[in-house]
Amino acid sequence: MSKHLVFMIHGMGAYKKDWSKDAQATLKKSYDAYSTLAKVKFSDAYSFHEITYDHLFERIRDAWENESDGIKERLIAMGVSSGLVQTLTRLAQSGTGDGFFRTHILDVIFYRFFPTVRDPVRMHVAKSIAEALNKARNASTGPVKWSIIGHSLGTAVTHDTLHLMFASSASPDIPPLSVRDFSLHTYLACANVSRVLSKGNELSVYSSRVRPAMTPSRDAVMRYFLNAWNMFDPFTRPSRFEPVYATWLDTATQAARHAPFQDIKTTEIRQKNVHALEHYLENPAVHIPFFRATCDNLSIINKAEEVKALQAYRKAVIDAHLEGEADELRLLIEEHGGELKDLLSMGYSFHKMLETM
Amino acid sequence: MKTLPGDKYLHWLKLCGSAAIISLSLLIAPAAIACETPTANNVEGIVDGLKLNLRGCYGGDNDSSELTLSVRQQLNSAEIPANGELKESHLQAVEDIIQRLVNAVTSEAIRLENANLTGVPAVRSVAERLRQEAPSQTTDALRTARDSDGGWATLLDEDIYGPSVSNVPLMRPLETLLEPNCQAQPTSDACQQATESLEQLLRVANLMQEVNQRADRTLGVNLITFQRNEIMWDLYTNDARVQYPWEMLLNGHLYQRDLRQLERETGQDVALADRKPPDSQVILLHPGIGMEYVDEASDGSRFEPAVVMEWIGFNRWEYRGAGTDVRMARPLGVSLITTFSDRDGSKNVGHGLALHWKNNMTTGLSWRSGGEVGVFISIGLAERFSTEQGRLDKIKSWFGR
């Protein structure tokens, strides 16, 4: 079997090389616990490709910082402390520094409001995927299968990239990427924010081609879409992604035994950072559907194993004693609405909570 | 060569050690998939076995069947280029491989027929469909029409095999082949034969999908386009003049407006392949620094650092080069400016015009209310990450100061 390619796409914040190692280790640990699944070694079953796009935001922040620093120095030397230039310089410097605003909130603002920043991000992700697929098809034995695990802001990036990379070009020299040969197998969206970020934007998440189908087509480019969200994760609550199956999926897909779309609501808090990707992946309610989907096999983890894993996880959750944090998060969510400003505000409050916990 | 007695012991010790390590690793390592034809007391058990074997036994790493080995060898020797530009020799290789797969499926149909088993027409329909996908039988129009048929996928959870038309798959392998021949007697020779035939069909589907992927032209073409576009975006972000947040918003808005215009004209979303960066930028309220020379100023105050405000301006360029060898060419721009400097013997504020050369140098003239003319020069971009003093020193060094 050729290894199943899994692309990892990060969320907001600072990310460097190897950022996905912990998430991979979490998945491996879970994988090894299921006997039938583990008959194929984890490293033989999956090949992970992390995609990092944070550097595309970082280079802009750095350019602003360097440009405005020079002017600031000159203004100080000239003894100027007010005026338009001073104001503009201050404005340019508001996106710099190392605070939460710069490393997290600004990522979301860049992606949502700056088209000449978000399209390079999409291009980078699409190119990284296409490069890996091209390499795999020439090197692997067996058909190439590929999936994506997207997290937080990465779910919006994934959504837009998939929709646009499978769109037909206006140029007759560029045929659209074949859905038949290279449709996505499984998309695991953890803390999906694609809907709130699409509000008033160019791509609507419910009418895009980012949807599953028994028979993938230009209108539905994947086989499985797993939408995992934790009810205490503040990022998932504003304008939650909740499509109406009757209109979003075709009838054959709705009737499938192995559900192509699964809305996975989790209620457990095992670590303080309820939003962390690892926190999602360690939960059997999330990783079991992922393993089943990527193996195209509902019985690869049997019901008894599933029940046992869920019970063990819930026991670990009880042992973690995070009821107080759950109450705080519940309050935070109840205080906010469903708009982008609520997402950003909750993100900031959540960050402060994590700092004080 | 003479062997010493000590060497013999060492040799045996090494052998015993190796045996112990191998035994231990077999105990620790998970039991690998054996790739044997599954048998069970019911159809469900057989299906579970087939699903498990789909993890590498049918056309995958663990498959040592003659069909898989020969197809893989043919695929490798065909040397299909990564960009999908298929020459006659590549097409012939794909034709030969598909014929080999057709023969394999036809053989299964004959075996089933000879054994008087159910499912022969369905298996023959698979062979026929394979035949239709040979390059000699396929046109571009057919290829486009097939893009939404799901390809040669196998979903045993849903009893789906092969391309679908209106959500009806080419074959329902459990319903047409396995259940009729196995339901009554799961351990019979008939069931064994049906299971083996299904295994061969699964192998063929995977090999066909692999062949299609290898010969796919669209991936290579789109990859080159994405690579080229990414380089162009890098040039736009890194090599064009730095944009402040408000300039990025404005230029982003103009870019988005052009995309919408394109969408209206084509009636569809602008594909990622068509999303190339702008070839111009509007400059708005852009403060910067440089050196300004005012001849009328007092000695020692003629060549001084200055802050320059570009009120509004425009910068444009071209992208040139083929494939991924793309570069920015002829960048040129102009801005209305005001300069501020602190010098003796001349007004501190001047208004004028600046020209932007190659994105990294700006030269301009400024006029003061007293009639003095200032010559302004600044460097950006290439020195984007240097300090203010570094930039000014560089300009000074050009003038031997």
Side-chain angles (χ1 to χ4, degrees):
Chain A
M1 178 182 70
S2 64
K3 293 180 186 182
H4 195 120
L5 307 186
V6 180
F7 296 93
M8 311 283 281
I9 302 183
H10 63 72
M12 62 180 176
Y15 288 88
K16 302 284 179 220
K17 190 176 176 293
D18 290 339
W19 64 266
S20 69
K21 291 288 179 200
D22 286 349
Q24 291 176 38
T26 304
L27 268 183
K28 182 185 183 307
K29 191 179 166 197
S30 307
Y31 179 98
D32 288 341
Y34 305 105
S35 59
T36 310
L37 190 64
K39 281 186 177 176
V40 174
K41 274 168 54 180
F42 185 74
S43 56
D44 290 338
Y46 298 105
S47 170
F48 288 88
H49 295 255
E50 64 178 27
I51 298 179
T52 311
Y53 56 84
D54 183 49
H55 63 283
L56 302 176
F57 298 147
E58 202 59 33
R59 67 184 180 185
I60 293 167
R61 288 188 281 248
D62 285 346
W64 287 354
E65 187 166 13
N66 284 290
E67 200 73 2
S68 55
D69 275 356
I71 301 159
K72 196 176 153 194
E73 285 174 36
R74 177 66 4 223
L75 291 174
I76 291 168
M78 290 167 68
V80 178
S81 60
S82 63
L84 180 64
V85 177
Q86 179 79 4
T87 308
L88 291 174
T89 309
R90 262 200 228 122
L91 193 59
Q93 288 199 314
S94 60
T96 64
D98 292 323
F100 184 72
F101 176 79
R102 175 194 162 120
T103 56
H104 288 70
I105 301 285
L106 196 56
D107 286 2
V108 179
I109 292 173
F110 269 143
Y111 192 78
R112 171 60 185 81
F113 295 105
F114 292 83
T116 53
V117 180
R118 68 169 170 251
D119 269 1
V121 169
R122 295 162 175 172
M123 200 67 70
H124 176 70
V125 173
K127 183 215 69 173
S128 304
I129 291 171
E131 267 179 356
L133 291 179
N134 199 41
K135 198 173 163 194
R137 75 165 164 175
N138 292 311
S140 70
T141 49
V144 176
K145 290 183 179 178
W146 64 288
S147 295
I148 291 179
I149 297 177
H151 178 233
S152 192
L153 177 62
T155 60
V157 172
T158 303
H159 169 270
D160 300 350
T161 304
L162 286 174
H163 178 76
L164 295 172
M165 77 185 277
F166 280 101
S168 298
S169 165
S171 164
D173 297 333
I174 306 173
L177 183 60
S178 169
V179 176
R180 187 182 210 239
D181 296 334
F182 293 106
S183 61
L184 178 67
H185 192 279
T186 302
Y187 172 32
L188 170 58
C190 296
N192 192 346
V193 298
S194 60
R195 188 177 165 216
V196 69
L197 280 174
S198 77
K199 276 189 164 185
N201 210 342
E202 55 182 334
L203 306 174
S204 164
V205 288
Y206 294 149
S207 58
S208 76
R209 55 178 60 86
V210 183
R211 72 180 86 190
M214 291 273 278
T215 309
S217 68
R218 196 62 56 191
D219 296 326
V221 296
M222 65 190 66
R223 202 167 297 282
Y224 298 100
F225 186 149
L226 313 173
N227 186 54
W229 60 286
N230 188 297
M231 65 175 287
F232 294 106
D233 181 352
F235 291 91
T236 64
R237 304 309 294 274
S239 297
R240 199 173 75 72
F241 182 81
E242 42 186 349
V244 179
Y245 297 3
T247 52
W248 193 57
L249 302 175
D250 63 49
T251 44
T253 304
Q254 288 176 53
R257 191 168 159 256
H258 189 162
F261 179 74
Q262 295 173 44
D263 191 48
I264 304 165
K265 176 187 176 184
T266 61
T267 56
E268 299 86 0
I269 305 183
R270 192 170 174 230
Q271 57 169 280
K272 288 169 183 170
N273 188 357
V274 66
H275 182 65
L277 178 58
E278 295 76 28
H279 187 246
Y280 276 94
L281 297 179
E282 70 179 9
N283 193 328
V286 177
H287 65 238
I288 289 177
F290 176 77
F291 292 139
R292 283 174 173 163
T294 49
C295 293
D296 277 318
N297 188 347
L298 266 176
S299 52
I300 196 85
I301 296 170
N302 64 38
K303 198 74 197 162
E305 282 180 306
E306 182 178 14
V307 169
K308 191 178 154 197
L310 284 167
Q311 282 173 347
Y313 188 69
R314 281 177 193 141
K315 185 178 178 306
V317 168
I318 292 166
D319 292 344
H321 292 299
L322 294 170
E323 298 82 3
E325 283 78 0
D327 289 339
E328 271 191 67
L329 288 167
R330 189 182 287 117
L331 272 175
L332 180 68
I333 291 164
E334 282 170 3
E335 284 169 2
H336 286 83
E339 299 302 319
L340 181 61
K341 63 179 171 55
D342 297 298
L343 178 87
L344 298 178
S345 165
M346 277 200 282
Y348 184 75
S349 305
F350 180 60
H351 173 72
K352 288 281 165 207
M353 274 174 66
L354 285 180
E355 278 184 341
T356 54
M357 277 175 188
Chain B
M1 195 172 69
K2 204 175 173 183
T3 311
L4 296 170
D7 287 348
K8 249 185 189 174
Y9 290 125
L10 198 65
H11 175 70
W12 279 107
L13 204 63
K14 277 182 184 169
L15 275 180
C16 291
S18 304
I21 289 168
I22 291 168
S23 310
L24 199 63
S25 64
L26 284 174
L27 281 174
I28 293 167
I33 292 172
C35 287
E36 287 168 354
T37 300
T39 53
N41 291 327
N42 53 46
V43 174
E44 206 175 56
I46 296 170
V47 175
D48 277 347
L50 289 168
K51 284 196 284 191
L52 203 60
N53 280 354
L54 271 168
R55 302 182 76 191
C57 301
Y58 307 135
D61 285 343
N62 302 337
D63 190 358
S64 55
S65 70
E66 190 202 335
L67 179 65
T68 297
L69 295 180
S70 70
V71 166
R72 187 139 302 128
Q73 192 181 355
Q74 277 178 289
L75 255 185
N76 290 335
S77 56
E79 292 182 344
I80 295 170
N83 62 10
E85 289 300 333
L86 301 182
K87 292 181 183 160
E88 193 54 44
S89 61
H90 305 129
L91 292 171
Q92 188 55 52
V94 172
E95 187 90 21
D96 293 345
I97 291 170
I98 292 179
Q99 188 54 51
R100 181 93 172 74
L101 297 177
V102 170
N103 293 343
V105 175
T106 306
S107 297
E108 290 309 317
I110 292 169
R111 283 177 70 191
L112 290 166
E113 201 165 37
N114 290 343
N116 216 12
L117 297 180
T118 306
V120 176
V123 177
R124 286 202 185 281
S125 72
V126 173
E128 182 51 34
R129 178 58 197 250
L130 283 166
R131 192 175 289 117
Q132 289 168 11
E133 293 202 15
S136 61
Q137 308 294 313
T138 306
T139 61
D140 282 346
L142 269 174
R143 208 171 282 123
T144 305
R146 285 176 188 152
D147 194 43
S148 291
D149 68 10
W152 288 85
T154 304
L155 293 174
L156 291 185
D157 277 344
E158 311 298 338
D159 197 9
I160 285 176
Y161 177 94
S164 298
V165 177
S166 304
N167 276 320
V168 178
L170 176 62
M171 183 186 182
R172 292 205 179 275
L174 308 185
E175 185 184 305
T176 54
L177 189 58
L178 211 59
E179 284 165 4
N181 294 307
C182 293
Q183 201 98 56
Q185 290 180 300
T187 53
S188 64
D189 287 348
C191 181
Q192 171 84 7
Q193 173 59 57
T195 310
E196 286 176 9
S197 292
L198 180 49
E199 285 186 296
Q200 188 75 327
L201 289 181
L202 297 173
R203 180 173 290 120
V204 165
N206 277 337
L207 290 171
M208 190 62 188
Q209 182 73 357
E210 187 179 345
V211 170
N212 283 341
Q213 287 180 336
R214 193 76 78 91
D216 181 278
R217 180 173 168 262
T218 67
L219 179 63
V221 173
N222 277 275
L223 172 58
I224 290 170
T225 309
F226 296 153
Q227 286 171 330
R228 179 182 168 84
N229 288 359
E230 186 181 43
I231 293 170
M232 288 168 73
W233 277 110
D234 282 346
L235 290 170
Y236 177 79
T237 312
N238 297 335
D239 288 13
R241 301 190 74 225
V242 171
Q243 295 179 36
Y244 285 114
W246 51 93
E247 292 176 297
M248 282 178 66
L249 276 174
L250 174 64
N251 286 302
H253 171 77
L254 297 174
Y255 168 71
Q256 193 71 27
R257 189 195 60 182
D258 290 346
L259 289 182
R260 290 210 175 102
Q261 176 69 24
L262 204 56
E263 277 171 3
R264 275 195 292 276
E265 285 168 13
T266 58
Q268 61 183 31
D269 291 328
V270 180
L272 210 48
D274 295 334
R275 290 184 178 235
K276 295 177 173 60
D279 55 6
S280 63
Q281 63 186 142
V282 174
I283 298 159
L284 182 71
L285 300 178
H286 189 113
I289 51 166
M291 295 296 293
E292 190 181 32
Y293 180 85
V294 179
D295 199 44
E296 288 82 355
S298 311
D299 272 354
S301 272
R302 287 191 178 122
F303 200 48
E304 287 292 334
V307 171
V308 59
M309 168 64 98
E310 296 175 47
W311 298 105
I312 189 146
F314 188 75
N315 192 32
R316 42 83 52 212
W317 55 87
E318 291 168 20
Y319 295 103
R320 283 196 188 157
T324 52
D325 181 24
V326 58
R327 64 194 183 281
M328 262 182 174
R330 297 167 63 186
L332 189 65
V334 62
S335 292
L336 288 173
I337 59 164
T338 294
T339 61
F340 308 88
S341 55
D342 188 11
R343 68 180 82 229
D344 299 327
S346 159
K347 298 275 185 191
N348 289 344
V349 178
H351 304 286
L353 202 67
L355 287 177
H356 309 294
W357 311 92
K358 295 184 174 179
N359 288 324
N360 61 2
M361 184 192 288
T362 297
T363 56
L365 291 175
S366 60
W367 287 267
R368 281 152 174 74
S369 56
E372 309 97 317
V373 177
V375 180
F376 174 84
I377 183 165
S378 81
I379 52 173
L381 188 74
E383 308 300 322
R384 183 174 291 179
F385 301 109
S386 64
T387 61
E388 184 230 10
Q389 197 54 51
R391 294 190 208 190
L392 298 181
D393 287 346
K394 184 158 187 172
I395 296 172
K396 282 179 184 170
S397 71
W398 293 345
F399 295 91
R401 286 166 183 258

